[in-house]
Amino acid sequence: MMGTQSAPTQLFYDFDLERHVPDNHMLREIDRFLDVDGMRQKLRPFYSHMGRPSIDPELIVRMLVIGDVMGIRSERRLCEEVHLNLAYRWFCRLGLDAKVPDHSTFSKYRHGKFRESDLLRHVFEATVERCLKEDLVSGEGFAVDASLIPADANKSRSVPASEWCPDVAREIGSRAAQEYLDTLDDAAFGAASPSQPKFVAKSDPAAQWTRAEESRPYFAYATNYLIDTESSVIMDVEATRAIRQAEVGASQTMLDRTERRFGIKPDWIAADTAYGSSENLGWLVKQRGIIPFIPVIDKAERTDGTWSRSDFKWDEESDQYICPEGHALRRFRRNYSDPNRVKKTGGTYKYRALKADCQACPSKQRCCPNMDFRAVTREPHEDARDFTRSSRKTKAYAISRNKRKKVEMLFAHLKRILNLTRLRLRGPNGAKDEFLLAAIAQNLRKLARLRPRAPRMEAVA
């Protein structure tokens, strides 16, 4: 006989929400690592001791964490999911009948107390501290990289860069336009490069018109990750314009902030060629004492079969290069009584061989077949570049290349699992908020996976 389902007619129910959340649920694991007490201490100075109680900021943060951990990109949908899902209600401490806040509450908190107190940065750093406490960070080697995230801007509502100026941004008057004006002198945004993009979006002027490989141009921001390669813990995150200069500057900012905040400085750092400029390598080697496992940006190598600069031996004591045939290439050929004439000031120097030596040299066709004499340039921080080149010959360099891929895997996880394929918020502050929340979610998921609770033992009758 076919059965039928009928609605229960009980008037009272004995319902325990705690029992309906599985022991192995992701949110149950994450709940152990989310620091709420520190968040309340951070926000207390921004609340008045008078007036009606506000919506609990802990509830807002917990809902935002759910959204990023579970890949729920819409805040309207997030409110609906929290209303319906028992595990979400348990995580947010809502019980069965508590009211879920309206989606507009997120904007009020985001543009108000959260940004005034820099709360999301505090929550992110609290997750890093928990990773340190759980021994997930070795501090030996770091990796850094950047990934482009499309902005909430459209080409059809953009203007050519020639028609754009700060006065146009002031006329627009939107929050994103005001944030653009506020970051014109910021090294991560307006001051990152004097060059202007081809187009500027009216809805989000700070977004960079750029093009990734094998894709159409679009407006984007760059999320920069600094990770510890032991367990892929994100040590710091920074939002910048989608250009190389801003990304390199962000790596230095994150290294400084990590040492200042957690007292950790890595022995070495791995990155791709974009971070191999002479200025960055000089900063890492001379100022920070960090071994850079980074390919050097070098345009002096020749591909026509003639000798490159690397074939010439550098003589530091005599300030000269020695060619493979033993001839000296010098900056000056006379002795100056004024030492300031030969003082190095940090620019690019040219070292020249004698014309007579080159004309009589049997290897002239391999060295300078189209010139009367050979000249070699020496870039700023060339000693740091030479040290970086020598580091490539070590076994540790090959190991760092494999570990560097972990940061790329985090970006893939960010876009495919957490669904951060396009920003919802506009302006530099909106990008910072979304990137911080995503990094918080990834670190919490890392803690839940690598430090799970001990399985609960059932009593045996």
Side-chain angles (χ1 to χ4, degrees), residues 54-290:
S54 69
I55 295 176
D56 190 350
E58 177 188 343
L59 171 59
I60 302 300
V61 171
R62 286 181 175 274
M63 290 181 66
L64 289 173
V65 168
I66 289 175
D68 279 83
V69 168
M70 298 302 176
I72 303 174
R73 299 290 301 145
S74 169
E75 289 175 351
R76 290 176 183 266
R77 183 182 162 218
L78 175 61
C79 293
E80 296 174 356
E81 293 291 336
V82 172
H83 176 70
L84 296 172
N85 193 300
L86 293 179
Y88 296 174
R89 279 186 167 273
W90 173 86
F91 185 78
C92 293
R93 309 297 191 263
L94 286 174
L96 285 177
D97 54 356
K99 184 179 179 182
V100 177
D102 187 75
H103 67 88
S104 61
T105 307
F106 294 104
S107 296
K108 294 178 182 178
Y109 270 89
R110 182 185 301 115
H111 300 305
K113 295 178 176 58
F114 283 8
R115 285 184 183 168
E116 293 171 4
S117 63
D118 203 11
L119 179 68
L120 295 181
R121 168 66 60 178
H122 171 78
V123 176
F124 168 75
E125 291 177 350
T127 63
V128 178
E129 287 182 339
R130 189 57 187 264
C131 292
L132 291 169
K133 184 178 179 181
E134 298 291 337
D135 295 328
L136 295 181
V137 177
S138 68
E140 178 184 355
F142 283 2
V144 65
D145 204 353
S147 183
L148 302 184
I149 306 295
D152 186 19
N154 198 299
K155 170 65 168 58
S156 62
R157 294 182 58 82
S158 64
V159 297
S162 58
E163 302 177 9
W164 180 261
C165 65
D167 292 336
V168 177
R170 294 187 184 96
E171 292 176 2
I172 294 175
S174 64
R175 182 180 287 108
Q178 183 58 48
E179 291 180 8
Y180 160 81
L181 295 172
D182 294 340
T183 57
L184 286 178
D185 297 327
D186 194 331
F189 292 97
S193 172
S195 61
Q196 294 296 323
K198 189 174 182 180
F199 296 99
V200 178
K202 290 183 178 181
S203 58
D204 194 352
Q208 178 79 19
W209 178 255
T210 185
R211 177 181 180 178
E213 295 182 1
E214 300 180 0
S215 69
R216 295 182 179 180
Y218 57 94
F219 292 102
Y221 286 94
T223 177
N224 299 265
Y225 276 6
L226 179 70
I227 72 164
D228 182 90
T229 57
E230 179 69 20
S231 301
S232 302
V233 172
I234 303 172
M235 301 299 296
D236 205 349
V237 56
E238 186 76 5
T240 63
R241 287 177 64 187
I243 56 175
R244 182 179 62 85
Q245 297 91 325
E247 295 166 3
V248 173
S251 68
Q252 299 179 3
T253 299
M254 292 188 293
L255 282 169
D256 285 341
R257 189 161 52 202
T258 300
E259 182 175 7
R260 184 172 61 251
R261 180 65 179 82
F262 306 109
I264 298 177
K265 186 185 77 170
D267 298 329
W268 54 266
I269 186 169
D272 58 25
T273 311
Y275 299 85
S277 63
S278 61
E279 293 80 6
N280 189 46
L281 296 178
W283 182 84
L284 288 170
V285 175
K286 299 177 182 179
Q287 297 187 32
R288 308 297 285 123
I290 300 174

